[in-house]
Amino acid sequence: MLRYLTAGETHGKCLTAIIEGMPSGVNIDIEKINEALAARQRGHGRGGRMLIERDTAEILSGVRGGVTLGGPIALRIENKDWKNWSEIMGTEESNGKRAVECPRPGHADLAGGMKYNHRDFRNVLERASARETAARVAVGAVVKQLLESFGITFGRRVVNIGEIYDGGGEPDAEFYERVKASPVGFGSAEREKEAMEYIDKIKAAGESIGGVVEIRAFNVPAGLGSYVHYDRKLDANIAFGVMSVQAIKGVEIGMGFNVSSNCGSKVHDCIVYDGAYHRATNNAGGIEGGMSNGEPIIVRAAMKPIPTLYNPLDTVNISDKSPVKASVERSDACAVPACSVVVEAAVAFEIAKAFLDKFGGDCMADIKASYEAYNERIKKF
């Protein structure tokens, strides 16, 4: 089974990830990993940390000559800011400076401190930080290269930042190229300017803002996932993967919550046959009964505003229980475009996992044989 683990703290030496279950024979281009990492760091409204880090990945194991070996793949991303934190975050000795005793509203600080018995909340925030998502983006960039071998591709976009909505039209290849070049992840140049001005006003007010991102997966074959057990449903696993991303508070697939305000004839997709089965519409977002149905998979995720505010909220000092203002760590006013990169990685991983569950083998030759045999059977269905 395909799975991964990440390790590392936001101001530690590095972030690491280990991917287990990748078959042998997958061509891996490290530049595609680094491109994804660079995309995660871009976006209007990002904070000072992005001026320090220039993330690149190092493959430590599991790949030889640009091809996977079938064993665990180990990835490393250096934290450039470690040099400024080595005495504070050392694994063997620490000077105890920069302790955090005032939990920040909206963060994991207080609940994490209670759970793990940390009275210095730095022990919580260092791991709970969204810096960890760099490792997840690297993992997603690896598994996407497996899926690309079977024609499965992805497109990401920002639907809205706060009250500013993209008006770039129906996504196509040209649309996604505009999105990649946009500092706010929009397809519309006019709305892009509005969004940037809006973020600047939010930042000047000492506030932060969230938004909605959308991921589409194309050419996903019908039949990934399953209806027979709850933990094999593709939409359930995608929702789990996306909700595990820091700051995500809601996930929709297809029409999402809009299904609750429309009658059945406006929700369900008619089935047509023109030599192959298709849906006349795609309100289901490419998934029915926990399985991909052959249409593009459409996932949207709602990101809350970054909770660290330069006009900090009220909290409590746990040492004397006195009311204080929350501490301020370096922060972003808006990280929604970066979030779209992270969510894309999360969706890609869940689709790759379901793909290998369906067609899996120890090497690409076996997977391709299984995939081709399945397609031949489906053509006759």
Side-chain angles (χ1 to χ4, degrees):
M1 181 181 74
L2 186 66
R3 63 174 182 165
Y4 73 95
L5 291 171
T6 69
E9 287 75 44
T10 187
H11 294 109
K13 289 183 179 181
C14 64
L15 301 171
T16 58
I18 293 180
I19 311 171
E20 183 183 40
M22 280 284 287
S24 68
V26 181
N27 293 319
I28 299 296
D29 182 351
I30 196 166
E31 285 308 310
K32 291 184 177 181
I33 303 174
N34 291 334
E35 286 170 8
L37 290 173
R40 175 193 164 276
Q41 294 190 280
R42 291 194 290 266
H44 193 72
R46 299 306 302 276
R49 183 72 186 266
M50 297 305 105
L51 300 176
I52 299 171
E53 305 294 351
R54 289 293 184 270
D55 288 338
T56 56
E58 179 184 6
I59 300 175
L60 302 178
S61 68
V63 176
R64 182 184 182 195
V67 181
T68 59
L69 301 175
I73 298 172
L75 303 168
R76 180 183 185 273
I77 302 169
E78 180 186 1
N79 283 335
K80 301 290 194 304
D81 207 17
W82 161 250
K83 63 185 179 183
N84 300 316
W85 289 80
S86 58
E87 293 183 2
I88 298 168
M89 292 298 299
T91 57
E92 296 180 2
E93 293 185 10
S94 172
N95 59 21
K97 294 181 180 179
R98 301 289 297 268
V100 179
E101 295 183 327
C102 305
R104 300 162 302 164
H107 280 275
D109 298 354
L110 184 56
M114 290 176 170
K115 177 177 174 63
Y116 290 100
N117 197 28
H118 293 309
R119 296 189 68 82
D120 177 0
F121 296 124
R122 180 158 302 284
N123 293 335
V124 179
L125 69 88
E126 286 286 334
R127 177 60 183 166
S129 165
R131 174 70 184 147
E132 182 264 351
T133 62
R136 294 207 226 181
V137 167
V139 170
V142 170
V143 300
K144 280 173 65 178
Q145 294 183 62
L146 163 69
L147 295 173
E148 286 171 4
S149 301
F150 299 92
I152 299 173
T153 60
F154 295 85
R156 64 177 181 268
R157 66 177 297 195
V158 173
V159 177
N160 67 283
I161 293 175
E163 61 189 43
I164 309 299
Y165 283 75
D166 183 17
E170 184 64 19
D172 55 18
E174 184 179 341
F175 175 91
Y176 286 122
E177 287 303 312
R178 293 199 302 271
V179 164
K180 287 180 181 179
S182 170
V184 293
F186 278 12
S188 165
E190 180 181 350
R191 294 296 176 85
E192 172 188 293
K193 183 180 178 182
E194 291 180 33
M196 292 171 68
E197 292 173 350
Y198 177 73
I199 292 168
D200 291 341
K201 289 179 181 178
I202 291 290
K203 184 176 181 179
E207 277 282 3
S208 61
I209 195 67
V212 173
V213 302
E214 179 186 273
I215 309 302
R216 298 194 181 201
F218 301 98
N219 302 319
V220 179
L224 302 191
S226 178
Y227 63 87
V228 302
H229 287 299
Y230 72 94
D231 58 349
R232 293 173 60 190
K233 292 178 179 286
L234 181 60
D235 46 1
N237 287 322
I238 286 176
F240 168 79
V242 173
M243 279 296 292
S244 74
V245 174
Q246 290 87 330
I248 298 301
K249 301 301 284 186
V251 180
E252 290 185 330
I253 294 177
M255 282 187 76
F257 283 97
N258 287 330
V259 301
S260 65
S261 57
N262 284 278
C263 58
S265 62
K266 302 296 184 183
V267 170
H268 302 298
D269 305 308
C270 294
I271 299 172
V272 296
Y273 183 80
D274 58 2
Y277 295 102
H278 298 287
R279 298 331 186 256
T281 53
N282 192 21
N283 296 326
I287 301 177
E288 293 173 303
M291 300 164 292
S292 58
N293 63 15
E295 300 297 330
I297 292 175
I298 304 174
V299 182
R300 282 179 292 278
M303 179 189 184
K304 69 180 182 180
I306 299 293
T308 295
L309 303 177
Y310 286 102
N311 286 331
L313 297 173
D314 295 335
T315 186
V316 174
N317 187 308
I318 65 164
S319 294
D320 58 14
K321 309 303 186 286
S322 62
V324 294
K325 293 295 183 179
S327 62
V328 178
E329 296 283 322
R330 197 163 40 210
S331 184
D332 303 324
C334 177
V336 181
C339 181
S340 71
V341 180
V342 180
V343 172
E344 180 183 21
V347 172
F349 183 83
E350 295 303 328
I351 291 175
K353 184 169 69 174
F355 187 91
L356 290 178
D357 285 346
K358 173 67 179 171
F359 303 111
D362 297 315
C363 65
M364 283 291 279
D366 291 348
I367 296 170
K368 287 181 178 179
S370 176
Y371 178 76
E372 291 168 3
Y374 178 77
N375 282 337
E376 287 300 315
R377 179 173 69 80
I378 293 301
K379 288 179 184 178
K380 303 172 184 176
F381 192 79

